[in-house]
Amino acid sequence: MFLDGKTALVTGSTSGIGLGIARALRAEGASVVLNGFGDEAAIAKLCEELDARRINTDLTTVEGAEELMASAGKVDILVNNAGMQHVAPVEEFPVDKWNAIIALNLSAAFHTARLAVPQMKEQGWGRIINVASAHSLTASPFKSAYVAAKHGIAGLTKTLALELAQCGITANCISPGYVWTPLVENQIPDTMAARGMTREQVMNDVLLAKQPTKKFVQVEEVGAMAVFLCRDEAQNINGANLSVDGGWTAE
Ligand code: NAD
């Protein structure tokens, strides 16, 4: 398999999109390092299924990112995926939520990348894949921290791409639209409160209203894109922001 001998570290991979990416990379032979939180028994099962190590450091802190990279060892494929969301009007947006979202959705990717790059440069090969969002290209109300962090990670990705272009390393964003994962499910109550809507109205008039297909993206589709970015055929895809959003950002 084409990723035999390569190690992939996927942040936030105990759930949702990160887990989908980890499964897809493992299926191509990569050794996978999982990161994230959740039900311990379920995570132990995942580690067994994927023959994976799991390092559960908190990526809202610099120390957590540093500990993750020190424990992971050699990383050939770095997938910055861990993320969180909070939905509230800007004047009510809790400052601690702002700080945590910027730390996890943006700063953690800087820290993991700065620590992974020396080894990637030394071996002359690497892939940095940042899971951004349609919200890296467009905004929605009540998501100030998330939209700011996602626009930021798109900029970070372009900078990494330019700096590393001659080192055999590519850096790209994958930007999904709405994917049915716990992150999306959990924001429904807050969105109901912020917009004064029912659950059904949030699903149809807010979430899927944006997606021309009127369907959620599947985690397997995002995983397949990550796999493609690791192929030699993708060596000139660099600094791109690849939308997997059913046409949302084509508007
Ligand atoms: P999820 O909530 O299902 O998974 C998030 C993962 O991050 C989990 O493994 C969780 O344990 C981990 N995590 C949370 N806090 C952490 C912390 N402090 N340190 C380390 N790990 C932590 O979410 P998801 O929907 O799979 O989202 C994954 C990524 O995809 C996020 O960056 C998100 O912004 C992005 N995204 C999601 C969607 C969507 O519709 N679901 C759309 C676009 C982009």
Side-chain angles (χ1 to χ4, degrees):
M1 287 179 286
F2 90 100
L3 291 178
D4 281 345
K6 297 273 198 286
T7 297
L9 167 61
V10 185
T11 69
S13 45
T14 52
S15 168
I17 294 171
L19 178 55
I21 292 174
R23 283 201 166 108
L25 294 173
R26 178 68 197 143
E28 297 297 342
S31 296
V32 170
V33 180
L34 299 178
N35 156 262
F37 305 112
D39 177 72
E40 289 301 321
I43 293 171
K45 241 174 146 178
L46 281 178
C47 288
E48 211 176 294
E49 173 199 327
L50 299 174
D51 195 16
R53 279 193 295 148
R54 181 256 190 143
I55 305 168
N56 65 341
T57 62
D58 177 0
L59 297 183
T60 58
T61 68
V62 180
E63 298 73 28
E66 288 179 345
E67 201 185 321
L68 173 67
M69 299 312 288
S71 308
K74 180 176 88 85
V75 172
D76 304 289
I77 301 161
L78 171 65
V79 183
N80 288 304
N81 165 81
M84 62 168 95
Q85 174 65 282
H86 187 79
V87 181
V90 69
E91 69 275 24
E92 291 167 21
F93 210 91
V95 171
D96 62 331
K97 292 280 183 201
W98 169 276
N99 288 337
I101 289 173
I102 298 295
L104 183 64
N105 296 19
L106 176 57
S107 301
F110 160 69
H111 295 301
T112 56
R114 74 178 166 79
L115 294 166
V117 157
Q119 163 76 42
M120 288 180 178
K121 275 186 168 174
E122 205 177 299
Q123 68 196 19
W125 195 93
R127 293 287 185 266
I128 299 172
I129 300 171
N130 293 327
V131 179
S133 166
H135 282 117
S136 72
L137 295 161
T138 186
S140 296
F142 311 121
K143 296 185 175 177
S144 50
Y146 189 86
V147 171
K150 294 299 184 180
H151 276 65
I153 203 169
L156 170 67
T157 307
K158 289 188 207 174
T159 308
L160 293 172
L162 294 179
E163 283 187 34
L164 304 171
Q166 293 176 36
C167 305
I169 303 167
T170 66
N172 293 287
C173 286
I174 302 178
S175 284
Y178 282 104
V179 188
W180 188 250
T181 68
L183 181 141
V184 166
E185 203 174 350
N186 294 340
Q187 69 187 267
I188 291 177
D190 287 347
T191 308
M192 286 165 66
R195 294 182 182 246
M197 287 179 161
T198 65
R199 186 180 168 84
E200 286 62 41
Q201 284 172 323
V202 170
M203 294 271 283
N204 297 319
D205 302 345
V206 179
L207 303 180
L208 292 178
K210 303 267 187 172
Q211 225 146 262
T213 51
K214 303 296 173 203
K215 286 186 186 143
F216 287 98
V217 175
Q218 302 301 310
V219 295
E220 290 77 8
E221 298 168 46
V222 183
M225 176 67 91
V227 166
F228 182 71
L229 288 173
C230 294
R231 292 192 176 277
D232 288 343
E233 293 92 325
Q235 65 187 334
N236 282 301
I237 302 177
N238 194 27
N241 192 340
L242 301 159
S243 294
V244 185
D245 65 5
W248 170 358
T249 50
E251 257 186 42

